[in-house]
Amino acid sequence: TVTYTATDASGNEATTVTRTVNVVDTTAPVITITGDDIVTIELGATYTDEGATATDESGDITVVSTSTVDTSLVGSYTVTYTATDASGNEATAVVRTVNVVDTTAPVITITGDNPTTIELGATYTDEGATATDESGDITVITTSTVDTSVVGSYTVTYTATDSSGNEATAVVRTVNVVDTTA
């Protein structure tokens, strides 16, 4: 309240009058994202959100985040930030985009011995190779030049490509066909 009084030069006092002033909060908080609005993260990595802050005349404001980020799947995800002040004023939601990408090639591991030796005329059975990748199971493709009817050094080449098109570095097994039989 604001109270007004007045007295004239003769000492006469006016009736006291009061005014009521209502202080209200109708202004919503303002949210600011910490860090970049758009984040790119590698498939399978751990995502740690940098968060957001909110400012408001009423004091400290808690920012609440809701996230759809799944780093086990390639895609575009969102983190939504909201805040409400003590007077119930809701801030305009702010969104961070998190793009999960796969730029890492599979890794191929040869199963069994490398190099390997086989007797001339014997049947060669390749032990194969495996590939690991964050995107899941990867098929290894085998290309072979092994001819067990001719002594020599041959190669078996293993390649793999993940679902994002990342090609593994080719891995080669050496197969030596020898004649040690009298």
Side-chain angles (χ1 to χ4, degrees), residues 17-30:
V17 179
T18 60
R19 177 188 314 247
T20 301
V21 179
N22 295 314
V23 177
V24 296
D25 179 6
T26 59
T27 305
V30 176

Side-chain angles (χ1 to χ4, degrees), residues 63-86:
V63 176
V64 177
S65 66
T66 306
S67 174
T68 64
V69 178
D70 181 354
T71 62
S72 67
L73 295 172
V74 171
S76 184
Y77 300 93
T78 59
V79 180
T80 303
Y81 304 97
T82 58
T84 304
D85 66 16

Side-chain angles (χ1 to χ4, degrees), residues 27 35 37 43 45 48 62 69 84 103 105 114 120 124 134 140 142 165 175:
T27 305
D37 291 354
L43 178 69
T48 303
T62 300
V69 178
T84 304
T103 61
N114 185 27
L120 178 68
Y124 173 69
E134 286 294 327
V140 176
T142 306
V175 179

Side-chain angles (χ1 to χ4, degrees), residues 16 55 57-58 74 129 141:
T16 302
T55 55
E57 288 298 321
S58 65
V74 171
I141 298 172

Side-chain angles (χ1 to χ4, degrees), residues 4-180:
Y4 301 94
T5 59
T7 305
D8 66 14
S10 300
N12 300 310
E13 290 185 10
T15 304
T16 302
V17 179
T18 60
R19 177 188 314 247
T20 301
V21 179
N22 295 314
V23 177
V24 296
D25 179 6
T26 59
T27 305
V30 176
I31 300 172
T32 304
I33 289 179
T34 304
D36 296 328
D37 291 354
I38 300 173
V39 175
T40 301
I41 187 167
E42 189 66 23
L43 178 69
T46 301
Y47 174 68
T48 303
D49 189 59
E50 293 185 65
T53 59
T55 55
D56 191 72
E57 288 298 321
S58 65
D60 291 336
I61 302 295
T62 300
V63 176
V64 177
S65 66
T66 306
S67 174
T68 64
V69 178
D70 181 354
T71 62
S72 67
L73 295 172
V74 171
S76 184
Y77 300 93
T78 59
V79 180
T80 303
Y81 304 97
T82 58
T84 304
D85 66 16
S87 298
N89 300 306
E90 293 181 8
T92 300
V94 177
V95 176
R96 180 192 319 267
T97 301
V98 179
N99 295 312
V100 177
V101 298
D102 180 6
T103 61
T104 304
V107 175
I108 300 172
T109 304
I110 291 177
T111 305
D113 295 333
N114 185 27
T116 188
T117 302
I118 187 165
E119 190 65 28
L120 178 68
T123 301
Y124 173 69
T125 303
D126 187 57
E127 293 184 64
T130 59
T132 56
D133 189 74
E134 286 294 327
S135 65
D137 292 333
I138 304 296
T139 302
V140 176
I141 298 172
T142 306
T143 308
S144 175
T145 63
V146 177
D147 181 356
T148 61
S149 66
V150 180
V151 171
S153 182
Y154 300 92
T155 59
V156 179
T157 304
Y158 305 98
T159 57
T161 304
D162 67 17
S163 59
S164 295
N166 300 307
E167 295 180 12
T169 301
V171 176
V172 176
R173 181 194 316 268
T174 302
V175 179
N176 296 308
V177 176
V178 296
D179 181 5
T180 61

